[in-house]
Amino acid sequence: MLVFWEKGYEGTSIHDLEQAMGLNRTSIYNAFGNKRAIFSRVMTCYQESVMSALFAELARAPDIREGVRRLLNGALNMHFDEDNPGGCLMVLSMLESHQHDEQSMAAMQAAFHNMKSTLQTMLGKAKKAGELSPDLDVSSMATTITTTMSGMMVMGMAGFSRAALKKTINQVVSLLDK
């Protein structure tokens, strides 16, 4: 996962995967198929580990506003964490979408749609519980939060500071009050 995260899809060679996995080329092909199949499994792993951890913070929060704040701060912290390659594997992969075939594009698109769908479900529950305005369009808000998470990764790569991006988080959380 880290190899694709650091080098991107196109920049990752089978030799890179051999070194990272400690397997020879034949073993990799026998176990996984091809690079595209490995990437698809990496996207699933990323969602089940990294993204799940971010969404767990949202779920553990005492209310939806704090949950969204934790989710967005978690994404921001992930970008600035020196132990990570920086950014978000999903966003970085989407930015190089011209290098992907239909199947790997579908895996990336599914990951983004899954993120939006999960947010929409959680916002819907909060709305039913009376935490949010009955007039709030939870689908649009879920898209806004997903867009913010993705956009913060791009802006961080463009040199925007953590402090500037934290202000964006505060702005997005304030939209839940309307």
Side-chain angles (χ1 to χ4, degrees), residues 1 41-53 114:
M1 182 171 70
R41 290 181 87 175
V42 162
M43 290 303 288
T44 299
C45 178
Y46 186 82
Q47 290 177 73
E48 291 173 352
S49 58
V50 175
M51 296 307 295
S52 288
N114 183 46

Side-chain angles (χ1 to χ4, degrees), residues 69-89:
R69 184 179 311 283
R70 288 180 185 183
L71 174 73
L72 294 174
N73 275 311
L76 185 62
N77 291 339
M78 180 177 66
H79 172 74
F80 285 100
D81 182 351
E82 292 181 11
D83 291 334
N84 286 328
C88 166
L89 176 62

